[in-house]
Amino acid sequence: MHWLNSLPAKLSAALFVLFCAIGLTAFSIGRYATDMYHQELTQRLNLDIAAHIAADQALMQNGRANLAALKALAHYAMVINPSTEIYLLDPGGRVLGHALPEASVQLERIDLTPIEAFIDGSAELPLMGQDPRHPGQEKIFSATAIMEGDQLQAYLYTILGGKRYDSLSTSVQDSYVLTISTMAIAAAVAFAFFAGVIIFYLLTRRLRKLTRYVETFQQGDFSQPFEPPLSRAAQADEISALVLAFKAMANRINQQYSALKQLDRNRRELITNISHDLRTPLVSVQGYLETVLIRRDRLSETEQLNYLKKALKHGKRLRKLIAELFELSRLESNFLEPKIERFHLLELLQDLVQDFGYQASRRGIQLSVAPPSGEFCVCADIAMMQRVLENLIENALRYTPKGGWVKISLAQTENQVSVHIADSGCGIKSHDIPKIFDRFYRATGAAKAVSGSGLGLAIVKRILDLHQAPIEVKSEPDRGTAFVFSLPSQLTDRRDLATA
């Protein structure tokens, strides 16, 4: 039953029905055409028989029908051709005489329209006339006008396929034509059916293979690439196009599945990192506050104030971490677009250097920007660029020891302004450089030496990605690190700068 519901079976059944309809139609048309051909041939062969019969004897005498002569001629004609029936008609079409039994003739008057057309020769053959013995039926005939001088006396109307012809024709058809035709049609339909089954089976073979591959792919884990067979002999047909389309869809599903798995791993890692980074300041705040509450009678005001300051410090660290998490989440939401405007980058840098000046001098670090003057106009989101520069400067100060330096330099090219932020800090090992923009990642050996959320560089990377501005990192251990990126100096289509 499964095969009966398959596509080749349904197509074969449709083809079988179609061939049956075509066979019956062809049989009907062929039979009708053969009958018309035979009748036209018979009528053309006997075209002048009525005229020859009428010329043999006088069928009208003194305006009256010569029935004896008519019966003699009818007998003579029927001996030669048994299917011939002869009638004598008056100028109005009334039957004057015949050589048949009286009871067998049912019509008293014959329509003269086809008879006149036959005599004029204006009608196309085969031409049918009324059969006096079978009202409602028409048969081929031969006719001629019987004249006396210029006066029309009568018509000789000769039916060429009489009753005996009908009986013999029916007998022959039943015994030969119909049997042969039926057998031929049945054989043709059977051949067409089995040929159709084979053809459709071969044509749908690749579809069945594709179905099996799709079922296998559906039952799999979407981790393996979809590689269905593709025939080289039919690279451009619809089945191959379907295979290629499904292959593209399957590969896209694989990519999305892999991306979802990676996203799930990142989510788990993010939750782990957040739990760790939030727990540390929370435990510190809780510990200092509990110490003040439990030992408040034994602590001096100075000690209590010291504990409260430490709790506040860790509280601020916690607030900063939460703010950075929200900021990174907003940047990765795919709905944020930079508000592009043209501004002086050097002025922004000078303001930031002034803001970080106290922190740098307190740590004994020299912070400078070069050149000290110039326009250096760029097209970007000024708030986002301020955040990028703040994170990079803060990161450089964090990893630069006392007595070191942090230098910021700008360079103008034809259509861009290049930003170069370098420090003389501890540097980054080569295997850590590709990972420093990941969330909560800290370079090997640096996490214990300095504090930080591990989100600053991830925020920098996401903001620069929104501006389609790649960032480059150059670093050597114990010799410092440099971050370099470029911004356009001319306004472009904002849609080109916003990315998902």
Side-chain angles (χ1 to χ4, degrees):
M1 294 298 294
H2 176 71
W3 185 86
L4 295 177
N5 293 325
S6 64
L7 181 60
K10 293 179 180 179
L11 292 175
S12 300
L15 186 65
F16 177 79
V17 174
L18 178 62
F19 267 88
C20 286
I22 293 175
L24 291 175
T25 303
F27 174 75
S28 301
I29 294 175
R31 187 170 181 179
Y32 174 79
T34 301
D35 184 59
M36 289 295 102
Y37 169 79
H38 178 71
Q39 293 198 47
E40 181 178 354
L41 181 62
T42 302
Q43 192 171 33
R44 288 187 181 277
L45 288 174
N46 298 277
L47 198 62
D48 299 327
I49 188 173
H52 291 308
I53 292 174
D56 189 67
Q57 292 190 28
L59 298 178
M60 295 294 294
Q61 292 181 346
N62 301 322
R64 298 174 64 84
N66 187 353
L67 297 180
L70 178 63
K71 290 182 179 181
L73 289 173
H75 177 73
Y76 175 73
M78 291 182 66
V79 170
I80 299 174
N81 186 356
S83 65
T84 301
E85 298 175 358
I86 298 176
Y87 301 89
L88 186 63
L89 309 178
D90 67 8
R94 187 171 62 86
V95 178
L96 296 177
H98 53 79
L100 301 172
E102 289 295 336
S104 65
V105 179
Q106 303 295 320
L107 292 178
E108 296 182 355
R109 187 176 297 276
I110 303 298
D111 183 14
L112 295 178
T113 302
I115 296 175
E116 292 172 350
F118 180 87
I119 295 173
D120 293 342
S122 59
E124 294 184 359
L125 302 182
L127 183 61
M128 304 293 182
Q130 288 182 307
D131 183 3
R133 302 184 70 178
H134 302 89
Q137 292 187 11
E138 293 185 339
K139 294 186 177 180
I140 56 174
F141 65 91
S142 177
T144 188
I146 300 175
M147 308 291 294
E148 185 175 337
D150 294 333
Q151 186 69 31
L152 176 64
Q153 297 295 314
Y155 291 105
L156 185 62
Y157 182 56
T158 304
I159 296 295
L160 300 177
K163 185 175 182 180
R164 188 173 181 183
Y165 173 86
D166 290 341
S167 62
L168 290 174
S169 175
T170 303
S171 176
V172 170
Q173 288 178 355
D174 291 340
S175 63
Y176 180 73
V177 177
L178 186 60
T179 302
I180 297 299
S181 300
T182 303
M183 293 177 61
I185 291 175
V189 170
F191 174 79
F193 174 73
F194 288 110
V197 170
I198 295 173
I199 292 172
F200 289 135
Y201 181 84
L202 295 176
L203 289 177
T204 56
R205 180 170 53 185
R206 285 186 293 154
L207 279 178
R208 293 193 301 275
K209 288 184 178 180
L210 176 61
T211 302
R212 289 195 295 268
Y213 273 88
V214 171
E215 290 175 351
T216 303
F217 178 77
Q218 180 185 7
Q219 296 170 1
D221 59 358
F222 306 112
S223 62
Q224 298 299 323
F226 181 78
E227 294 294 343
L230 191 60
S231 174
R232 294 182 178 180
Q235 290 288 330
D237 63 1
E238 288 79 1
I239 297 178
S240 296
L242 178 62
V243 172
L244 292 175
F246 193 87
K247 180 179 179 181
M249 182 185 69
N251 291 336
R252 184 172 179 84
I253 291 175
N254 283 333
Q255 293 174 0
Q256 293 177 343
Y257 180 74
S258 300
L260 287 175
K261 290 178 65 177
Q262 181 63 37
L263 183 62
D264 184 66
R265 287 194 295 268
N266 293 341
R267 180 184 61 83
R268 295 175 185 273
E269 181 181 351
L270 177 63
I271 292 175
T272 302
N273 292 332
I274 290 176
S275 300
H276 176 270
D277 282 76
L278 292 181
R279 183 173 60 249
T280 300
L282 279 175
V283 169
S284 299
V285 171
Q286 182 180 358
Y288 287 127
L289 293 178
E290 287 178 350
T291 300
V292 172
L293 289 174
I294 295 173
R295 301 176 58 189
R296 65 180 180 277
D297 295 335
R298 289 173 288 174
L299 295 176
S300 64
E301 291 185 3
T302 303
E303 290 175 327
Q304 292 182 15
L305 182 61
N306 185 39
Y307 282 129
L308 290 176
K309 286 182 178 180
K310 289 182 178 180
L312 179 61
K313 176 182 177 182
H314 287 286
K316 289 181 178 180
R317 179 187 171 193
L318 180 62
R319 184 182 65 180
K320 180 180 179 182
L321 177 60
I322 294 174
E324 288 181 338
L325 283 172
F326 276 110
E327 183 179 8
L328 185 59
S329 175
R330 185 171 63 92
L331 290 171
E332 293 179 344
S333 65
N334 294 332
F335 296 104
L336 184 64
E337 293 186 4
K339 299 178 181 179
I340 306 301
E341 57 181 308
R342 201 163 187 263
F343 62 92
H344 294 275
L345 182 60
L346 181 58
E347 293 181 2
L348 177 60
L349 276 172
Q350 289 173 341
D351 292 339
L352 292 176
V353 168
Q354 185 175 359
D355 293 339
F356 282 97
Y358 172 76
Q359 179 181 346
S361 61
R362 187 168 58 86
R363 295 183 180 181
I365 300 172
Q366 181 184 0
L367 177 62
S368 62
V369 58
S373 62
E375 291 189 355
F376 297 100
C377 293
V378 296
C379 298
D381 187 309
I382 187 170
M384 289 185 178
M385 283 302 108
Q386 180 176 347
R387 184 62 168 153
V388 167
L389 295 172
E390 286 176 348
N391 285 5
L392 290 177
I393 295 174
E394 184 178 6
N395 186 77
L397 293 175
R398 182 182 297 119
Y399 289 97
T400 300
K402 183 177 181 181
W405 49 264
V406 175
K407 297 180 180 179
I408 307 171
S409 60
L410 300 177
Q412 180 77 52
T413 61
E414 183 178 358
N415 296 315
Q416 290 185 326
V417 174
S418 177
V419 182
H420 189 277
I421 300 177
D423 61 64
S424 61
C426 61
I428 307 172
K429 295 181 180 180
S430 59
H431 64 272
D432 286 328
I433 291 179
K435 305 175 184 178
I436 61 174
F437 294 107
D438 296 341
R439 289 175 292 188
F440 297 106
Y441 186 82
R442 296 186 181 91
T444 304
K448 296 180 180 180
V450 295
S451 62
S453 64
L455 295 175
L457 292 182
I459 293 174
V460 168
K461 183 66 166 60
R462 183 56 185 163
I463 291 177
L464 292 178
D465 286 344
L466 289 174
H467 286 77
Q468 295 186 355
I471 185 169
E472 182 182 358
V473 183
K474 301 177 182 179
S475 181
E476 293 183 18
D478 301 323
R479 299 190 64 179
T481 304
F483 292 87
V484 182
F485 64 93
S486 299
L487 296 174
S489 58
Q490 300 294 329
L491 286 173
T492 59
D493 191 346
R494 291 179 57 182
R495 292 173 296 181
D496 296 336
L497 292 173
T499 59

mmCIF file of all heavy atoms in Angstrom, residues 366-400:
data_model
loop_
_atom_site.group_PDB
_atom_site.id
_atom_site.type_symbol
_atom_site.label_atom_id
_atom_site.label_comp_id
_atom_site.label_asym_id
_atom_site.label_seq_id
_atom_site.Cartn_x
_atom_site.Cartn_y
_atom_site.Cartn_z
ATOM 1 N N GLN A 366 53.320 58.913 32.979
ATOM 2 C CA GLN A 366 53.266 60.072 32.090
ATOM 3 C C GLN A 366 52.226 59.815 31.003
ATOM 4 O O GLN A 366 52.324 58.871 30.210
ATOM 5 C CB GLN A 366 54.631 60.324 31.450
ATOM 6 C CG GLN A 366 54.652 61.528 30.523
ATOM 7 C CD GLN A 366 55.994 61.705 29.829
ATOM 8 O OE1 GLN A 366 56.913 60.918 30.043
ATOM 9 N NE2 GLN A 366 56.086 62.739 29.007
ATOM 10 N N LEU A 367 51.168 60.668 30.961
ATOM 11 C CA LEU A 367 50.087 60.556 29.978
ATOM 12 C C LEU A 367 50.151 61.758 29.043
ATOM 13 O O LEU A 367 50.099 62.906 29.502
ATOM 14 C CB LEU A 367 48.729 60.496 30.686
ATOM 15 C CG LEU A 367 47.477 60.458 29.794
ATOM 16 C CD1 LEU A 367 47.469 59.212 28.908
ATOM 17 C CD2 LEU A 367 46.209 60.502 30.655
ATOM 18 N N SER A 368 50.241 61.501 27.730
ATOM 19 C CA SER A 368 50.374 62.605 26.770
ATOM 20 C C SER A 368 49.634 62.278 25.488
ATOM 21 O O SER A 368 49.343 61.113 25.180
ATOM 22 C CB SER A 368 51.859 62.850 26.458
ATOM 23 O OG SER A 368 52.441 61.696 25.846
ATOM 24 N N VAL A 369 49.337 63.355 24.705
ATOM 25 C CA VAL A 369 48.680 63.219 23.414
ATOM 26 C C VAL A 369 49.452 64.050 22.400
ATOM 27 O O VAL A 369 49.883 65.160 22.696
ATOM 28 C CB VAL A 369 47.204 63.657 23.479
ATOM 29 C CG1 VAL A 369 47.073 65.087 23.951
ATOM 30 C CG2 VAL A 369 46.528 63.474 22.121
ATOM 31 N N ALA A 370 49.657 63.531 21.208
ATOM 32 C CA ALA A 370 50.411 64.228 20.160
ATOM 33 C C ALA A 370 49.716 63.985 18.814
ATOM 34 O O ALA A 370 49.160 62.909 18.575
ATOM 35 C CB ALA A 370 51.847 63.708 20.109
ATOM 36 N N PRO A 371 49.745 64.988 17.940
ATOM 37 C CA PRO A 371 50.315 66.332 18.143
ATOM 38 C C PRO A 371 49.418 67.173 19.039
ATOM 39 O O PRO A 371 48.244 66.862 19.205
ATOM 40 C CB PRO A 371 50.364 66.887 16.711
ATOM 41 C CG PRO A 371 49.240 66.197 16.010
ATOM 42 C CD PRO A 371 49.174 64.824 16.583
ATOM 43 N N PRO A 372 49.945 68.226 19.627
ATOM 44 C CA PRO A 372 49.177 69.035 20.584
ATOM 45 C C PRO A 372 48.116 69.904 19.939
ATOM 46 O O PRO A 372 47.272 70.460 20.639
ATOM 47 C CB PRO A 372 50.259 69.889 21.259
ATOM 48 C CG PRO A 372 51.340 69.991 20.215
ATOM 49 C CD PRO A 372 51.340 68.690 19.484
ATOM 50 N N SER A 373 48.152 70.085 18.604
ATOM 51 C CA SER A 373 47.172 70.952 17.942
ATOM 52 C C SER A 373 46.815 70.361 16.585
ATOM 53 O O SER A 373 47.525 69.517 16.037
ATOM 54 C CB SER A 373 47.735 72.378 17.785
ATOM 55 O OG SER A 373 48.909 72.344 16.953
ATOM 56 N N GLY A 374 45.705 70.871 16.053
ATOM 57 C CA GLY A 374 45.223 70.399 14.759
ATOM 58 C C GLY A 374 43.734 70.105 14.838
ATOM 59 O O GLY A 374 43.123 70.102 15.914
ATOM 60 N N GLU A 375 43.122 69.872 13.674
ATOM 61 C CA GLU A 375 41.678 69.624 13.655
ATOM 62 C C GLU A 375 41.367 68.135 13.877
ATOM 63 O O GLU A 375 40.679 67.764 14.809
ATOM 64 C CB GLU A 375 41.077 70.089 12.330
ATOM 65 C CG GLU A 375 41.081 71.598 12.160
ATOM 66 C CD GLU A 375 40.294 72.022 10.937
ATOM 67 O OE1 GLU A 375 39.844 71.128 10.182
ATOM 68 O OE2 GLU A 375 40.119 73.234 10.751
ATOM 69 N N PHE A 376 41.850 67.290 12.993
ATOM 70 C CA PHE A 376 41.596 65.856 13.076
ATOM 71 C C PHE A 376 40.105 65.562 13.263
ATOM 72 O O PHE A 376 39.680 64.965 14.252
ATOM 73 C CB PHE A 376 42.407 65.223 14.214
ATOM 74 C CG PHE A 376 43.887 65.329 14.028
ATOM 75 C CD1 PHE A 376 44.616 66.305 14.699
ATOM 76 C CD2 PHE A 376 44.551 64.471 13.153
ATOM 77 C CE1 PHE A 376 45.977 66.408 14.525
ATOM 78 C CE2 PHE A 376 45.921 64.581 12.989
ATOM 79 C CZ PHE A 376 46.643 65.552 13.664
ATOM 80 N N CYS A 377 39.308 66.036 12.300
ATOM 81 C CA CYS A 377 37.865 65.815 12.355
ATOM 82 C C CYS A 377 37.529 64.387 11.911
ATOM 83 O O CYS A 377 38.087 63.872 10.942
ATOM 84 C CB CYS A 377 37.136 66.816 11.463
ATOM 85 S SG CYS A 377 37.246 68.518 12.058
ATOM 86 N N VAL A 378 36.614 63.761 12.618
ATOM 87 C CA VAL A 378 36.166 62.407 12.265
ATOM 88 C C VAL A 378 34.639 62.386 12.268
ATOM 89 O O VAL A 378 33.976 63.257 12.846
ATOM 90 C CB VAL A 378 36.706 61.358 13.258
ATOM 91 C CG1 VAL A 378 38.215 61.287 13.192
ATOM 92 C CG2 VAL A 378 36.236 61.644 14.677
ATOM 93 N N CYS A 379 34.095 61.341 11.629
ATOM 94 C CA CYS A 379 32.645 61.152 11.572
ATOM 95 C C CYS A 379 32.298 59.882 12.346
ATOM 96 O O CYS A 379 32.618 58.772 11.900
ATOM 97 C CB CYS A 379 32.172 61.046 10.128
ATOM 98 S SG CYS A 379 32.486 62.534 9.151
ATOM 99 N N ALA A 380 31.681 60.046 13.503
ATOM 100 C CA ALA A 380 31.347 58.901 14.349
ATOM 101 C C ALA A 380 30.353 59.359 15.402
ATOM 102 O O ALA A 380 29.955 60.527 15.453
ATOM 103 C CB ALA A 380 32.608 58.321 14.989
ATOM 104 N N ASP A 381 29.936 58.427 16.249
ATOM 105 C CA ASP A 381 29.092 58.739 17.397
ATOM 106 C C ASP A 381 30.013 59.242 18.506
ATOM 107 O O ASP A 381 30.828 58.476 19.040
ATOM 108 C CB ASP A 381 28.331 57.486 17.834
ATOM 109 C CG ASP A 381 27.309 57.778 18.911
ATOM 110 O OD1 ASP A 381 27.668 58.405 19.916
ATOM 111 O OD2 ASP A 381 26.147 57.358 18.746
ATOM 112 N N ILE A 382 29.897 60.495 18.868
ATOM 113 C CA ILE A 382 30.856 61.100 19.795
ATOM 114 C C ILE A 382 30.784 60.458 21.181
ATOM 115 O O ILE A 382 31.815 60.249 21.848
ATOM 116 C CB ILE A 382 30.626 62.637 19.882
ATOM 117 C CG1 ILE A 382 31.734 63.280 20.725
ATOM 118 C CG2 ILE A 382 29.259 62.973 20.404
ATOM 119 C CD1 ILE A 382 31.719 64.793 20.663
ATOM 120 N N ALA A 383 29.580 60.090 21.631
ATOM 121 C CA ALA A 383 29.459 59.463 22.951
ATOM 122 C C ALA A 383 30.114 58.082 22.950
ATOM 123 O O ALA A 383 30.811 57.706 23.911
ATOM 124 C CB ALA A 383 27.991 59.357 23.341
ATOM 125 N N MET A 384 29.899 57.326 21.876
ATOM 126 C CA MET A 384 30.514 56.000 21.790
ATOM 127 C C MET A 384 32.031 56.095 21.685
ATOM 128 O O MET A 384 32.759 55.312 22.301
ATOM 129 C CB MET A 384 29.950 55.234 20.586
ATOM 130 C CG MET A 384 28.511 54.785 20.741
ATOM 131 S SD MET A 384 27.978 53.750 19.340
ATOM 132 C CE MET A 384 26.314 53.334 19.845
ATOM 133 N N MET A 385 32.528 57.078 20.909
ATOM 134 C CA MET A 385 33.971 57.237 20.777
ATOM 135 C C MET A 385 34.598 57.656 22.107
ATOM 136 O O MET A 385 35.712 57.244 22.448
ATOM 137 C CB MET A 385 34.288 58.264 19.693
ATOM 138 C CG MET A 385 34.130 57.751 18.277
ATOM 139 S SD MET A 385 35.164 56.314 17.953
ATOM 140 C CE MET A 385 33.900 55.022 17.883
ATOM 141 N N GLN A 386 33.892 58.468 22.870
ATOM 142 C CA GLN A 386 34.391 58.842 24.185
ATOM 143 C C GLN A 386 34.512 57.597 25.070
ATOM 144 O O GLN A 386 35.496 57.446 25.802
ATOM 145 C CB GLN A 386 33.455 59.869 24.838
ATOM 146 C CG GLN A 386 33.920 60.301 26.227
ATOM 147 C CD GLN A 386 33.045 61.389 26.811
ATOM 148 O OE1 GLN A 386 32.232 62.003 26.122
ATOM 149 N NE2 GLN A 386 33.200 61.641 28.101
ATOM 150 N N ARG A 387 33.523 56.703 24.970
ATOM 151 C CA ARG A 387 33.576 55.482 25.759
ATOM 152 C C ARG A 387 34.748 54.595 25.323
ATOM 153 O O ARG A 387 35.449 54.017 26.162
ATOM 154 C CB ARG A 387 32.254 54.714 25.585
ATOM 155 C CG ARG A 387 32.159 53.470 26.433
ATOM 156 C CD ARG A 387 32.223 53.806 27.888
ATOM 157 N NE ARG A 387 31.859 52.658 28.721
ATOM 158 C CZ ARG A 387 32.279 52.467 29.945
ATOM 159 N NH1 ARG A 387 33.111 53.351 30.504
ATOM 160 N NH2 ARG A 387 31.882 51.433 30.632
ATOM 161 N N VAL A 388 35.002 54.503 24.018
ATOM 162 C CA VAL A 388 36.120 53.709 23.502
ATOM 163 C C VAL A 388 37.447 54.246 24.039
ATOM 164 O O VAL A 388 38.297 53.500 24.553
ATOM 165 C CB VAL A 388 36.116 53.694 21.962
ATOM 166 C CG1 VAL A 388 37.433 53.147 21.420
ATOM 167 C CG2 VAL A 388 34.957 52.874 21.439
ATOM 168 N N LEU A 389 37.647 55.549 23.917
ATOM 169 C CA LEU A 389 38.901 56.158 24.340
ATOM 170 C C LEU A 389 39.079 56.055 25.858
ATOM 171 O O LEU A 389 40.191 55.815 26.358
ATOM 172 C CB LEU A 389 38.950 57.613 23.892
ATOM 173 C CG LEU A 389 38.975 57.814 22.357
ATOM 174 C CD1 LEU A 389 38.820 59.286 22.016
ATOM 175 C CD2 LEU A 389 40.260 57.259 21.755
ATOM 176 N N GLU A 390 37.975 56.226 26.607
ATOM 177 C CA GLU A 390 38.070 56.084 28.068
ATOM 178 C C GLU A 390 38.518 54.679 28.452
ATOM 179 O O GLU A 390 39.408 54.508 29.305
ATOM 180 C CB GLU A 390 36.707 56.388 28.703
ATOM 181 C CG GLU A 390 36.349 57.862 28.720
ATOM 182 C CD GLU A 390 34.953 58.096 29.267
ATOM 183 O OE1 GLU A 390 34.199 57.094 29.411
ATOM 184 O OE2 GLU A 390 34.603 59.247 29.554
ATOM 185 N N ASN A 391 37.919 53.670 27.828
ATOM 186 C CA ASN A 391 38.270 52.287 28.175
ATOM 187 C C ASN A 391 39.711 51.962 27.797
ATOM 188 O O ASN A 391 40.423 51.273 28.548
ATOM 189 C CB ASN A 391 37.315 51.317 27.471
ATOM 190 C CG ASN A 391 35.948 51.291 28.108
ATOM 191 O OD1 ASN A 391 35.663 52.052 29.029
ATOM 192 N ND2 ASN A 391 35.078 50.411 27.631
ATOM 193 N N LEU A 392 40.150 52.436 26.620
ATOM 194 C CA LEU A 392 41.513 52.144 26.190
ATOM 195 C C LEU A 392 42.540 52.849 27.074
ATOM 196 O O LEU A 392 43.585 52.274 27.439
ATOM 197 C CB LEU A 392 41.701 52.542 24.722
ATOM 198 C CG LEU A 392 40.955 51.672 23.703
ATOM 199 C CD1 LEU A 392 41.154 52.219 22.293
ATOM 200 C CD2 LEU A 392 41.436 50.217 23.775
ATOM 201 N N ILE A 393 42.275 54.110 27.433
ATOM 202 C CA ILE A 393 43.209 54.848 28.302
ATOM 203 C C ILE A 393 43.237 54.226 29.694
ATOM 204 O O ILE A 393 44.297 54.019 30.295
ATOM 205 C CB ILE A 393 42.816 56.337 28.364
ATOM 206 C CG1 ILE A 393 42.981 56.986 26.984
ATOM 207 C CG2 ILE A 393 43.648 57.072 29.412
ATOM 208 C CD1 ILE A 393 42.471 58.417 26.915
ATOM 209 N N GLU A 394 42.046 53.905 30.215
ATOM 210 C CA GLU A 394 41.978 53.288 31.546
ATOM 211 C C GLU A 394 42.677 51.938 31.540
ATOM 212 O O GLU A 394 43.391 51.595 32.491
ATOM 213 C CB GLU A 394 40.518 53.132 31.961
ATOM 214 C CG GLU A 394 40.350 52.587 33.364
ATOM 215 C CD GLU A 394 38.889 52.497 33.766
ATOM 216 O OE1 GLU A 394 38.016 52.758 32.902
ATOM 217 O OE2 GLU A 394 38.616 52.146 34.924
ATOM 218 N N ASN A 395 42.507 51.177 30.475
ATOM 219 C CA ASN A 395 43.164 49.876 30.377
ATOM 220 C C ASN A 395 44.689 50.044 30.320
ATOM 221 O O ASN A 395 45.436 49.292 30.954
ATOM 222 C CB ASN A 395 42.656 49.156 29.121
ATOM 223 C CG ASN A 395 43.181 47.736 29.012
ATOM 224 O OD1 ASN A 395 42.716 46.831 29.681
ATOM 225 N ND2 ASN A 395 44.175 47.545 28.148
ATOM 226 N N ALA A 396 45.162 51.046 29.566
ATOM 227 C CA ALA A 396 46.608 51.285 29.475
ATOM 228 C C ALA A 396 47.181 51.713 30.824
ATOM 229 O O ALA A 396 48.263 51.246 31.234
ATOM 230 C CB ALA A 396 46.877 52.346 28.416
ATOM 231 N N LEU A 397 46.463 52.579 31.554
ATOM 232 C CA LEU A 397 46.940 53.014 32.866
ATOM 233 C C LEU A 397 46.949 51.846 33.857
ATOM 234 O O LEU A 397 47.853 51.750 34.703
ATOM 235 C CB LEU A 397 46.054 54.143 33.396
ATOM 236 C CG LEU A 397 46.126 55.477 32.627
ATOM 237 C CD1 LEU A 397 45.100 56.458 33.181
ATOM 238 C CD2 LEU A 397 47.532 56.075 32.718
ATOM 239 N N ARG A 398 45.962 50.956 33.748
ATOM 240 C CA ARG A 398 45.864 49.847 34.694
ATOM 241 C C ARG A 398 47.053 48.891 34.563
ATOM 242 O O ARG A 398 47.536 48.357 35.560
ATOM 243 C CB ARG A 398 44.547 49.110 34.467
ATOM 244 C CG ARG A 398 44.331 47.958 35.441
ATOM 245 C CD ARG A 398 43.034 47.216 35.167
ATOM 246 N NE ARG A 398 41.885 48.091 35.345
ATOM 247 C CZ ARG A 398 41.019 48.395 34.380
ATOM 248 N NH1 ARG A 398 41.195 47.914 33.160
ATOM 249 N NH2 ARG A 398 40.009 49.182 34.621
ATOM 250 N N TYR A 399 47.512 48.673 33.315
ATOM 251 C CA TYR A 399 48.563 47.681 33.101
ATOM 252 C C TYR A 399 49.953 48.305 32.944
ATOM 253 O O TYR A 399 50.903 47.621 32.568
ATOM 254 C CB TYR A 399 48.248 46.843 31.857
ATOM 255 C CG TYR A 399 47.095 45.895 32.070
ATOM 256 C CD1 TYR A 399 45.812 46.246 31.663
ATOM 257 C CD2 TYR A 399 47.291 44.674 32.697
ATOM 258 C CE1 TYR A 399 44.746 45.392 31.868
ATOM 259 C CE2 TYR A 399 46.235 43.803 32.902
ATOM 260 C CZ TYR A 399 44.950 44.166 32.481
ATOM 261 O OH TYR A 399 43.901 43.316 32.689
ATOM 262 N N THR A 400 50.062 49.615 33.211
ATOM 263 C CA THR A 400 51.375 50.281 33.121
ATOM 264 C C THR A 400 51.912 50.531 34.537
ATOM 265 O O THR A 400 51.220 51.116 35.373
ATOM 266 C CB THR A 400 51.252 51.619 32.373
ATOM 267 O OG1 THR A 400 50.748 51.360 31.053
ATOM 268 C CG2 THR A 400 52.596 52.316 32.272
#
